[in-house]
Amino acid sequence: MEEHVGQIWHRIITRAAATGYPQATVELKEVSKTVGVLFRALGGDGGLRIEATTAAAHGARRNWLQRIAGTHKQVELCWRDGEVLRLPAQINLFPERAINRDLYLWLAALAAGKVDDTLPWFQLNQQLTKKTLLNFPGLQPRYQRLVESLLTLRPDLTRLPQDEAAAERAIQQALRHPGTVGELPQAKRPHQPVLLWLHPSPPINTSNLVHDDEPITQQPSKKNQTVEDKRRRRGERTEMPDGKKGLLAFRLESLFTLAEYVKVDRCTDEEEESDAAKNALDDMDTVSVARDNKPAATSLRFDLDLPAPDYDDTPLGEGILLPEWDYKRQQLRPDYCCLQTMQATSAIPVELPSHLKRVAHRLRRQFEALTPKRIWHKGQQDGSEIDLDAYLLHVAERGRVNAERGLYRDFRGGSRDLACLLLADLSLSTDAWFNNKARVIEVIRDSLFLFAESLSATGDQFAIYGFSSRHRSHVRFNTIKTFKQSYNAAVRGRILMIKPGYYTRMGAAIRHASTLLSQQKVSQPLLLLLTDGKPNDLDQYEGRYGVEDTRMALHEARKLGLQPFCVTIDEKASDYLPHIFGTNNYVVIRNPSELPRELPRLYARLTH
């Protein structure tokens, strides 16, 4: 009974202390595309992802209801780093949805500005605001509405102590007239968060920090795994606890990171359910990570070893050294990657799998219609018949024009002056299952079969390669069909032998594929990339580094006159593919089982 009464009291007091407007809530996922377009259009870094931030304790004064309810201790503020623009997961600060949406757009516009980052937070945000309004006057009415609405929620100056009132007065003046206040007066208590400004002390991104004395390890990527919570936590490094402090015994649990196999001390009861562990994480303001000083023999290292030569594919020639783009240095690293071309050793000629024969027959009939029909070519220097029109015109103009004319015509077929290179991602993630029905690698295999069957009916030039990687020193480039080879049972055997490889170093694979495709002297060279996720590898290629290198490789391909296009089954591809390929140069297949049928049809549309 006491517990029931306590729950009722908690709901009542929490509802009474609430200050938001749930009916006017605007979530980040509703406006993420609009925010991203605005951010980049106003000069923001095009490589930044748009993701949700996390709440942080602010320490400002709360009213008595909020103190009783234990709420309003934290606030979500906007900030950015070299890879991500962080915005609140939802905003219900104002009673009107339009104003809450305007706050998202204003924060994106503010974060797109560039000023002196060495300035104090108070002056920095004023300069950002002033510069944004000066460069984009159309935002002025929106900003004024936001300021007027926000000031009604700010503390009453008459009820604050003298020092806090001075600080609050300076903040309100800076909001009304940005750039007119020099310094923020000091106060004993922190001021209320300014929700129209960027985070005063954003968390430091340590995800890419790897220490020289720590082994590089990584859990195999699971690109199809659903991630429920993308909010970023504040992190810190601390000493390993000795287990002697605290009243409760704790359980040492395990996490995979880029650096090592670490243990997490939550100082809480034994909790076996993942939901309980997630709730414990939600209650933490700071996630502390400590290094375990145990001998290396007790640490777990996870890596992917290459198979023995007797069981591996056959290398074709020596390795090829290729450059890689370092976006931090803004320069190419020459001869930084080693690409090894390979071919399946144990592949034997096979027929088309029986479950694909019916679909392949229908696709071949459709693609035969793309083959140019035989027509009369007139005005030729040589041919099977006299071109009467050209001959009569020649006779009529004989006295005036002495130029030689083509007086013959020939009946022959036309030709499609194009070539396509299909580059398939064969990384470890293709070993995953979807809908508990089939593996991704099986869908890719069927797609390659139907793609080759369709193009063989048109007579178009095409080649098929696969790729995966293990560090920059070993980028595997699997040869399935070259431009010079005809599609036959041997090629089908190599398609049947493809299997999940390692990681996804796209840049090197795209550069080599571009070189092969550019050697085909055609007017329409198409580079078609088939993948199930974003670039990654064991080293720094994870994250934005890999994205920027892939983007640069595609830019180099376009300079060669190639037409790159991406086909993916990654549901989160819209977060990064527009930056890599451009908005109109990729397509997402929502249902992976439809890929084998959709890939040939997509090719037909691209080459129509």
Side-chain angles (χ1 to χ4, degrees):
M1 184 62 183
E2 293 179 357
E3 181 179 357
H4 180 66
V5 173
Q7 291 175 352
I8 295 176
W9 165 252
H10 176 73
R11 287 196 296 268
I12 294 174
I13 195 65
T14 302
R15 191 181 299 115
T19 57
Y21 299 89
Q23 73 280 2
T25 298
V26 177
E27 297 186 355
L28 178 59
K29 62 183 180 182
E30 301 176 31
V31 298
S32 59
K33 291 185 178 180
T34 304
V35 166
V37 170
L38 178 67
F39 175 74
R40 296 175 180 95
L42 299 186
D45 190 340
L48 297 189
R49 305 189 307 275
I50 309 295
E51 293 186 5
T53 185
T54 185
H58 54 77
R61 187 180 296 276
R62 296 179 294 158
N63 61 40
W64 66 275
L65 270 177
Q66 293 169 353
R67 294 197 299 270
I68 293 176
T71 59
H72 294 73
K73 295 180 180 179
Q74 298 178 324
V75 65
E76 293 185 357
L77 296 174
C78 171
W79 56 279
R80 68 178 184 187
D81 57 21
E83 296 191 1
V84 186
L85 170 62
R86 302 280 178 178
L87 293 167
Q90 63 179 25
I91 296 178
N92 57 9
L93 189 65
F94 307 114
E96 299 179 17
R97 276 180 55 88
I99 302 182
N100 290 326
R101 184 176 182 275
D102 284 348
L103 181 52
Y104 270 122
L105 301 180
W106 169 253
L107 290 174
L110 194 67
K114 297 178 179 63
V115 294
D116 186 4
D117 292 338
T118 62
L119 291 175
W121 162 82
F122 187 66
Q123 299 176 15
L124 173 67
N125 279 280
Q126 288 188 76
Q127 284 201 14
L128 277 174
T129 302
K130 185 177 180 179
K131 185 177 180 180
T132 301
L133 295 176
L134 181 64
N135 293 338
F136 309 104
L139 293 175
Q140 184 74 39
R142 185 167 290 168
Y143 176 73
Q144 291 300 329
R145 288 196 301 269
L146 287 169
V147 171
E148 293 172 2
S149 301
L150 183 65
L151 290 179
T152 62
L153 305 178
R154 302 291 300 179
D156 186 355
L157 297 177
T158 60
R159 297 186 177 183
L160 293 176
Q162 185 176 359
D163 58 341
E164 295 181 32
E168 180 61 29
R169 189 177 297 107
I171 290 174
Q172 294 187 17
Q173 174 68 14
L175 286 171
R176 292 190 181 96
H177 306 287
T180 61
V181 185
E183 295 183 358
L184 180 66
Q186 297 296 321
K188 294 181 179 179
R189 294 184 65 111
H191 56 78
Q192 288 291 334
V194 185
L195 302 180
L196 266 61
W197 289 353
L198 302 183
H199 202 304
S201 56
I204 298 175
N205 183 7
T206 59
S207 60
N208 293 328
L209 295 181
V210 180
H211 294 272
D212 294 337
D213 58 343
E214 293 178 348
I216 300 177
T217 61
Q218 180 173 334
Q219 190 180 19
S221 86
K222 300 179 180 178
K223 297 176 184 173
N224 293 330
Q225 183 178 0
T226 301
V227 180
E228 297 180 357
D229 189 359
K230 293 184 178 180
R231 292 181 299 169
R232 194 172 190 82
R233 268 75 182 179
R234 182 187 296 272
E236 67 174 7
R237 289 187 178 271
T238 185
E239 296 297 326
M240 189 69 184
D242 57 8
K244 299 179 181 179
K245 297 180 180 180
L247 298 177
L248 298 176
F250 60 85
R251 178 187 177 198
L252 296 179
E253 299 177 338
S254 304
L255 290 179
F256 282 102
T257 69
L258 286 173
E260 58 179 337
Y261 188 74
V262 301
K263 299 176 181 179
V264 175
D265 173 17
R266 288 208 318 269
C267 291
T268 183
D269 296 332
E270 295 282 346
E271 295 176 332
E272 299 294 336
E273 299 296 331
S274 59
D275 291 341
K278 180 178 179 299
N279 291 335
L281 180 62
D282 290 339
D283 292 336
M284 293 182 182
D285 292 334
T286 301
V287 178
S288 300
V289 180
R291 293 193 61 188
D292 191 354
N293 295 322
K294 288 186 177 182
T298 62
S299 300
L300 174 62
R301 294 194 60 185
F302 189 93
D303 203 345
L304 297 175
D305 292 329
L306 296 175
D310 293 341
Y311 298 94
D312 199 4
D313 295 337
T314 303
L316 302 178
E318 299 294 332
I320 302 172
L321 296 179
L322 295 169
E324 188 167 273
W325 176 255
D326 187 338
Y327 83 98
K328 294 181 179 179
R329 301 179 183 178
Q330 289 294 297
Q331 64 181 12
L332 278 173
R333 294 182 172 184
D335 299 339
Y336 192 70
C337 298
C338 181
L339 181 140
Q340 178 63 62
T341 56
M342 314 192 77
Q343 192 173 75
T345 304
S346 56
I348 58 175
V350 297
E351 296 296 326
L352 185 68
S354 57
H355 69 281
L356 297 176
K357 288 184 177 180
R358 185 175 180 180
V359 179
H361 178 70
R362 184 170 66 251
L363 287 172
R364 278 196 300 267
R365 293 185 60 183
Q366 294 174 355
F367 272 70
E368 286 173 356
L370 299 177
T371 304
K373 298 179 180 179
R374 290 170 60 86
I375 58 175
W376 283 107
H377 293 261
K378 298 183 177 182
Q380 305 296 308
Q381 295 293 332
D382 190 13
S384 59
E385 295 183 5
I386 295 291
D387 185 352
L388 292 179
D389 293 336
Y391 180 77
L392 292 174
L393 185 60
H394 172 70
V395 171
E397 297 179 350
R398 188 172 181 179
R400 293 174 295 169
V401 181
N402 295 324
E404 294 185 2
R405 294 178 177 273
L407 303 180
Y408 298 90
R409 66 174 186 169
D410 194 24
F411 189 67
R412 60 178 183 265
S415 62
R416 284 159 54 91
D417 190 24
L418 58 86
C420 177
L421 189 148
L422 176 61
L423 186 59
D425 175 4
L426 304 181
S427 58
L428 185 65
S429 60
T430 59
D431 197 31
W433 290 73
F434 66 93
N435 298 333
N436 295 324
K437 293 181 179 179
R439 293 189 303 162
V440 174
I441 190 66
E442 297 170 357
V443 174
I444 293 178
R445 187 181 295 121
D446 290 349
S447 301
L448 298 184
F449 274 127
L450 295 181
F451 180 82
E453 291 285 333
S454 301
L455 268 66
S456 62
T458 65
D460 293 345
Q461 301 180 55
F462 72 99
I464 303 176
Y465 296 89
F467 75 97
S468 66
S469 64
R470 182 180 179 272
H471 295 286
R472 62 184 177 90
S473 60
H474 189 78
V475 182
R476 301 166 66 91
F477 198 80
N478 298 80
T479 302
I480 299 174
K481 179 191 176 300
T482 66
F483 284 107
K484 295 181 179 180
Q485 295 173 337
S486 60
Y487 176 64
N488 51 30
V491 174
R492 287 192 289 269
R494 289 194 285 271
I495 294 177
L496 191 64
M497 290 300 297
I498 65 171
K499 55 185 179 294
Y502 304 94
Y503 299 93
T504 319
R505 208 174 198 98
M506 284 188 184
I510 290 175
R511 286 186 175 91
H512 186 60
S514 300
T515 301
L516 297 176
L517 182 55
S518 63
Q519 296 172 357
Q520 308 305 309
K521 304 304 180 181
V522 294
S523 60
Q524 188 179 1
L526 175 63
L527 177 59
L528 200 57
L529 178 64
L530 179 60
T531 181
D532 71 325
K534 66 191 303 185
N536 75 309
D537 207 334
L538 284 171
D539 49 20
Q540 78 272 20
Y541 209 78
E542 186 75 26
R544 188 176 178 186
Y545 184 98
V547 168
E548 293 295 340
D549 176 58
T550 304
R551 184 170 183 258
M552 179 56 66
L554 291 168
H555 177 68
E556 297 167 6
R558 294 188 182 96
K559 291 176 65 176
L560 294 174
L562 310 184
Q563 178 188 352
F565 194 89
C566 179
V567 182
T568 182
I569 58 175
D570 185 7
E571 296 178 353
K572 301 171 184 175
S574 58
D575 294 340
Y576 57 89
L577 280 188
H579 178 64
I580 298 178
F581 281 86
T583 55
N584 298 320
N585 296 319
Y586 75 95
V587 65
V588 180
I589 307 297
R590 301 297 178 183
N591 186 357
S593 62
E594 298 177 358
L595 180 61
R597 293 179 177 85
E598 291 298 326
L599 184 60
R601 295 171 184 171
L602 176 64
Y603 171 82
R605 291 195 295 270
L606 291 173
T607 60
H608 180 66

